[in-house]
DNA sequence: CAATTTCCTTACCAATCGGTAAGTCATTTA
DNA sequence: TAAATGACTTACCGATTGGTAAGGAAATTG
């Protein structure tokens, strides 16, 4: 039953870290969810940091492989950008745990020096930038501008995903359901209109 | 010197909470920055939670008063939206501490039941929505769609502000400086093009 | 001048943190 | 069958957490 326990611990840890952050979640909390002691967790992962590191690695790998799959399908750069962004939105909505963890990682970067989980995602950002720069546009996009554009879309996506509980509390469940259903289309509109192809 | 100490403690706490989050920052850390003991802090604020609550309240008040000031100047709804959003961007860039705390608050909402600091900002969201809905557009905007639109812009802003250290680490200081300088213009372009007024 | 209040300290406290050590029990391997 | 390995447990550990109690020095107030 060893392999199974390990994976269950990873799932539990992902939930806890997403909900309370690295400092807020204790390894005892995580193990308790499976009616285990924290020493069982330490047996499998050695330390809290290593456990967290494995989770970050898993998220980055999963996202990147997800992206690569999407990328091969389309050739037109604008369509490709659109497909990638809506793909990311869908993905993050389905795995909001991961979106939360990455957002926390973004925030904790200031304190926790290097080893950030976002580094894994740099190649992914680079490829998005190169796609954007091949889209014909009257203005010439510097790398900084292309990155800013990419960041605007990524921000729209991740901020929304991470705001789910707050939006639900503020505007009610139905309102959030409506937004969630419509958001992919709104994202597509935002991207297309920015490139004057509406 | 009491009033002064209190304010200095608030500043120090804002920095610590922004950098490490509510759980990650200890009241001893905060007091240490002023060469005080944590008991001095407890004397002024009673408890860690109350201190944090005061910070949230301060941030919300400061943002809202900032917004109200911007709002009176313009009448055309699109121009008003534009002014508000670039105003928020400027503001968040200048007070990235506050942007980080609010983003953390968004994430911790799941765990820490009600009393969220984002509630203070609901009227602000409402007024943004009402502005957007008065902008003429071929599609009719439901409340959910208008809110989605607002959220896209807010996401673009806050995600970028919060990503500063990561972006700097990944792409270098100069690149980030270039992005930061250009981001207001890019935001304006994003908003205008979405409303077909480029 | 006496009393009180404000601001802060040292001295504690129980609870919790991540982690180590040692041992139990079941399964696998030689 | 004996040895070894994997998957846990209980029993600890020192450090740190937020918070309380009591008191001291200085300023404010009567």
């Amino acid at each position: 039953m060893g392999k199974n326990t390990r994976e269950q611990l990873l799932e539990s840890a992902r939930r806890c870290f997403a909900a309370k952050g690295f400092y807020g979640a204790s390894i005892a909390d995580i193990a308790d969810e499976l009616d285990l002691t924290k020493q069982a967790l330490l047996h499998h992962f050695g330390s809290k940091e290593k456990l967290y590191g494995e989770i970050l690695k898993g998220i980055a790998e999963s996202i990147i492989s997800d992206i690569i799959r999407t990328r091969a399908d389309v050739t037109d750069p604008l369509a490709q950008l659109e497909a990638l962004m809506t793909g990311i939105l869908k993905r993050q909505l389905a795995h909001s745990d991961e979106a939360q963890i990455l957002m926390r990682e973004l925030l904790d970067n200031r304190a926790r020096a290097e080893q950030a989980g976002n580094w894994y995602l740099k190649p992914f950002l680079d490829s998005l930038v190169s796609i954007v720069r091949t889209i014909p546009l009257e203005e010439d996009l510097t790398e900084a501008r292309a990155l800013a554009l990419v960041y605007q879309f990524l921000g729209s996506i991740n901020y929304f995903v991470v705001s789910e509980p707050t939006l639900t509390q503020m505007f009610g469940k139905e309102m959030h359901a409506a937004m969630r259903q419509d958001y992919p289309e709104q994202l597509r509109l935002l991207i297309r209109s920015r490139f004057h192809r509406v």
Side-chain angles (χ1 to χ4, degrees), chain A:
Chain A
M1 211 72 79
K3 190 79 176 230
N4 202 332
T5 300
R6 217 186 118 93
E7 274 171 34
Q8 281 181 282
L9 279 169
L10 276 170
E11 281 174 36
S12 169
R14 207 158 34 226
R15 274 193 300 272
C16 288
F17 284 136
K20 306 199 213 168
F22 180 79
Y23 299 110
S26 75
I27 54 176
D29 285 346
I30 296 167
D32 268 4
E33 261 190 39
L34 307 180
D35 283 316
L36 292 176
T37 60
K38 62 179 176 176
Q39 286 75 12
L41 184 151
L42 288 171
H43 167 71
H44 285 286
F45 299 98
S47 77
K48 188 185 185 181
E49 296 252 0
K50 284 181 191 167
L51 166 64
Y52 185 69
E54 262 192 64
I55 287 179
L56 282 185
K57 206 182 107 192
I59 292 176
E61 280 172 3
S62 155
I63 287 184
I64 286 182
S65 81
D66 224 37
I67 298 306
I68 291 175
R69 216 172 309 134
T70 321
R71 216 188 154 176
D73 299 345
V74 202
T75 52
D76 174 61
L78 180 53
Q80 205 173 48
L81 179 68
E82 223 178 285
L84 280 170
M85 288 295 176
T86 53
I88 294 166
L89 171 60
K90 207 171 168 183
R91 205 213 120 80
Q92 303 287 67
L93 280 173
H95 306 84
S96 67
D97 283 359
E98 302 184 350
Q100 290 165 63
I101 290 176
L102 286 181
M103 188 71 88
R104 287 189 188 278
E105 201 52 24
L106 227 46
L107 289 161
D108 289 340
N109 243 359
R110 272 182 174 84
R112 212 183 316 140
E114 3 54 67
Q115 80 102 210
N118 294 289
W119 273 100
Y120 295 105
L121 299 175
K122 208 226 170 202
F124 156 63
L125 276 179
D126 285 331
S127 70
L128 282 175
V129 165
S130 79
I131 291 175
V132 164
R133 295 187 82 176
T134 63
I135 301 176
L137 203 60
E138 56 254 37
E139 10 155 16
D140 238 2
L141 288 183
T142 61
E143 194 190 348
R145 279 196 178 153
L147 184 55
L149 252 174
V150 164
Y151 235 76
Q152 289 180 332
F153 301 137
L154 288 178
S156 299
I157 293 170
N158 287 300
Y159 192 70
F160 174 67
V161 171
V162 142
S163 296
E164 192 214 301
T166 299
L167 282 172
T168 305
Q169 279 171 34
M170 287 197 300
F171 296 94
K173 220 171 170 179
E174 330 73 40
M175 173 69 103
H176 181 264
M179 283 182 74
R180 187 186 161 112
Q181 207 207 333
D182 202 39
Y183 215 83
E185 178 59 20
Q186 290 298 324
L187 180 66
R188 231 168 301 161
L189 274 171
L190 186 73
I191 297 175
R192 273 191 214 166
S193 62
R194 176 61 242 254
F195 292 100
H196 316 303
R197 301 283 169 74
V198 185

